[in-house]
Every structure is written in C-alpha cells, then in structure tokens.
Amino acid sequence: MSFFAVLFALIIEQVRPLARGNWIHATFRSWARWSRRSLDAGKIQHGWLAWAVAVLAPSVVTLLIHWLLWEVNPLLAFLWSVAILYVTLGFRQFSHYFTDIRDALDDGDETSARELLAQWRQVDASELPRSEIVRHVIEYSVLAAHRHVFGVLGWFSVLAALGLGPAGAVFYRMAEFVSRYWVYKSKTPGEGASPALQTAAARAWGVIDFVPARVTSLGFAVVGSFEDAIDAWRHYNQRFAASDAAASGNRNDGVILAATSGAVNVQLGGVPLKARRSPASLGELTAGLDIDGLGEPGAAVDAEPTEATPGRQPELAHLRSIVGLVWRSVVLWMVLLALLTLARLLG
C-alpha cells in the first residue's frame, strides 16, 4: 500500500500541484500560531509543550482518521494516505522557482534570475555573480527536495510499516515547518516565539531529521559519484567536529550539501545570502509564505560563511545534473518501496 500511495500522490502532484495560498497550508499555519500564543509562556517546559501540541496533535488526528477509515474500508484508508502525501510530499511545492531561475540563466537574463532568487528566499541577491546564483539555487533546491520528498518518504515508510498510516508524513513536515516558522515570525512585532520555544523546535528538528538527512545523502552517493560523495561527506564531518559549530550547530543540512557536492562534482558552501532588512511593503515581506508548502517563509537567516567544498565552480550544467540526481534518487526510493511491498505480499 505504501508504494502505491506514494506513486499516486507523486503523479497527482505532478499533474495538479497544490496552489499557493491554499486553505490546507493556511490551516496548519493557523494551528502553529495558536499553539504558540496559547502555550508559549517563555520557559523551556512551555516551549516543549507548545511544540508537542503543534506537531503531535495533527499527527495523532491523522493516525486516528486512518485507523477509523481502515475499519470501515481499507480502500478509504489508502485514499486517505494518498491525500496526506499529496499535501506533504512533492516537487511542485518549490520547483517552479528552480525552473524559472534555470530558464532565466539559460536565456542569459541574470537580472531576472537574481530577482527570482531574491523573491524565493527573501534575500538580497542584487550583486551575485552568475556562479553564485547557481550555487545558491543548487543548495536551496537540494535541501527543499530533501524536506519535501526524501525526508517525508522516510518517515512515512517507516511509520506506515508499523501500522501508523500516513502519520509519519505529517509529523516530519510539521516538525520541519514550525522549526522555521516560529523563527521567521519572531521578526514580526507581537508574533515572536520565545527563545525557549525556538530552541525546543530546533532541537527536536535536529533529532527528527538526523537519520533522514543521512539516508538522503547516501541515496545521492549511490546514484551519483559514490566515492566522491562519501569522501566529501567524511571531510565535512571532520571540519564540523573541529569547528565551533560542533557545540551547538545542526549539521544535517551540511551533510546533505557535502554529499551533493561530491555526487555531481560541484563546489558548494561559502558566503551565505543576507536576509532583507527593509522590505518595500508588507506584501513583499509575506510573498514567500507558501513557496515551499506548509507556509514556507523563504526568508534567509543570517549565518557565518562556511568553508567551500572541493569541486568545479557552479555553472548552468550543474543545475541539470542536480535534476538528474534528484530524480534518480526518487527512482531508487520507489524501487526500494516496491521491493518491500513485494516482500510483504509474498511473506
């Protein structure tokens, strides 16, 4: 059932993607806001309580509906899984910006590419050279593919195998969403989450994404240049362990980018983009809220420069390589799910 639920969800999402600003994602945003306003009293225990309500409650509701539908008719439970995956899984929730930027660069229109990148991530990209535009597009796109496809697949597959239906997909996406959304809203007067709540959400997300990030990285290594990807991954771990970030940093994203760098031989890392400080209007500030689904703010967070990985300087051809890498990884996942489904049927 898991294999066919994922397959149908991906097909439907490619044919008819969710529109931006849809009521489903708006409901999840409202739920996250309500949880913060009602339960965030500034202490660490309140932070964990607010996180649990925001993330676990939708997951439990998803599970209970799955069990109820299963008792009525397994086909209804299957359709419920497809519906949940359609909301939480898919490329089309973020890929239109990738495609538009790639097309602009292909036409030699770097100005439009910078404007699209700035709109996508709410950053200042006005002075980026062509290679840096490509680098940032690769980094954002690979991480978005992990969070919207591979991470969701991992949690969905494991929990579905345990009889928990599509609850894993909701759990993963909500945990990822609130870890960014509460930080993003803290920049809005009167909407900010307490440091305790932000810390709880970040710590929970680091734990929840620990295994999926490494599974995604391994998948990229398998379908890309395996030795180079593993070598870049190992070097990143060594650098991270020796840096100040090891004390408090979340290195899951770094592992994915390091593996990507080696898999397609592209140089990633370096100076991050800076978040916009003075948006021209409220519409500009909130333009990215639905970009990546579940209210993806798209706003950059100022960070320290990172050491660049080995590899060739980013160029347009690498964007095509990334598309191939991601789709080969999807095929790998689907083959594994098909084999597991076949094993269960025969077993």
Side-chain angles (χ1 to χ4, degrees):
M1 177 179 285
S2 296
F3 169 78
F4 290 106
V6 172
L7 179 63
F8 288 166
L10 286 173
I11 292 175
I12 296 171
E13 201 261 347
Q14 288 294 311
V15 174
R16 191 176 182 83
L18 273 177
R20 293 178 59 187
N22 63 82
W23 67 269
I24 301 174
H25 292 166
T27 300
F28 281 117
R29 289 198 302 273
S30 298
W31 177 251
R33 286 196 299 270
W34 180 89
S35 301
R36 181 198 61 78
R37 291 171 179 169
S38 303
L39 301 171
D40 182 18
K43 295 184 178 180
I44 190 64
Q45 60 267 33
H46 300 135
W48 282 110
L49 177 61
W51 180 89
V53 170
V55 175
L56 295 181
S59 306
V60 171
V61 170
T62 301
L63 174 60
L64 293 177
I65 294 176
H66 172 76
W67 282 347
L68 177 62
L69 293 176
W70 184 270
E71 291 297 323
V72 176
N73 189 325
L75 178 59
L76 294 177
F78 170 76
L79 295 176
W80 174 244
S81 294
V82 172
I84 292 298
L85 286 170
Y86 173 67
V87 173
T88 58
L89 173 74
F91 293 102
R92 298 293 292 276
Q93 297 182 31
F94 66 90
S95 63
H96 56 284
Y97 271 99
F98 175 92
T99 302
D100 291 344
I101 294 173
R102 183 190 61 188
D103 291 345
L105 291 174
D106 204 22
D107 294 337
D109 190 356
E110 296 181 13
T111 300
S112 295
R114 293 188 189 97
E115 292 174 353
L116 288 166
L117 178 59
Q119 183 181 358
W120 182 11
R121 304 307 303 180
Q122 293 296 298
V123 294
D124 180 10
S126 58
E127 299 181 359
L128 284 183
R130 183 183 181 91
S131 63
E132 283 295 281
I133 297 174
V134 174
R135 174 174 76 86
H136 288 294
V137 170
I138 290 174
E139 292 177 354
Y140 291 138
S141 300
V142 167
L143 293 178
H146 166 66
R147 293 168 182 171
H148 287 273
V149 181
F150 304 116
V152 177
L153 279 175
W155 272 93
F156 168 76
S157 301
V158 171
L159 267 63
L162 298 176
L164 301 181
V170 175
F171 175 71
Y172 179 84
R173 288 296 292 124
M174 283 301 296
E176 190 273 337
F177 165 59
V178 299
S179 70
R180 292 175 298 100
Y181 185 70
W182 285 331
V183 173
Y184 173 73
K185 295 300 288 184
S186 67
K187 299 178 176 64
T188 303
E191 293 288 339
S194 69
L197 178 55
Q198 295 181 42
T199 298
R203 288 178 179 175
W205 170 241
V207 173
I208 291 167
D209 196 42
F210 184 88
V211 173
R214 283 144 185 83
V215 172
T216 296
S217 300
L218 183 59
F220 286 168
V222 169
V223 300
S225 176
F226 185 83
E227 292 185 1
D228 291 337
I230 296 301
D231 187 58
W233 185 348
R234 183 176 64 252
H235 282 298
Y236 171 78
N237 286 336
Q238 293 172 351
R239 293 197 309 269
F240 186 91
S243 69
D244 294 336
S248 58
N250 179 354
R251 65 180 183 181
N252 295 336
D253 290 353
V255 167
I256 296 171
L257 294 179
T260 302
S261 171
V264 297
N265 189 25
V266 62
Q267 187 179 86
L268 301 177
V271 179
L273 294 177
K274 298 295 183 180
R276 287 178 174 173
R277 294 305 186 190
S278 301
S281 66
L282 180 62
E284 182 180 347
L285 176 64
T286 59
L289 276 175
D290 292 318
I291 287 171
D292 288 345
L294 289 187
E296 164 74 51
V301 177
D302 291 345
E304 295 297 323
T306 57
E307 183 178 346
T309 63
R312 293 165 51 200
Q313 188 177 40
E315 53 190 37
L316 187 60
H318 284 119
L319 295 182
R320 301 185 182 92
S321 298
I322 290 298
V323 172
L325 183 77
V326 170
W327 276 111
R328 290 195 300 273
S329 296
V330 171
V331 172
L332 176 64
W333 264 101
M334 296 305 293
V335 169
L336 291 175
L337 279 175
L339 291 176
L340 290 174
T341 301
L342 182 61
R344 293 186 65 182
L345 290 175
L346 296 179

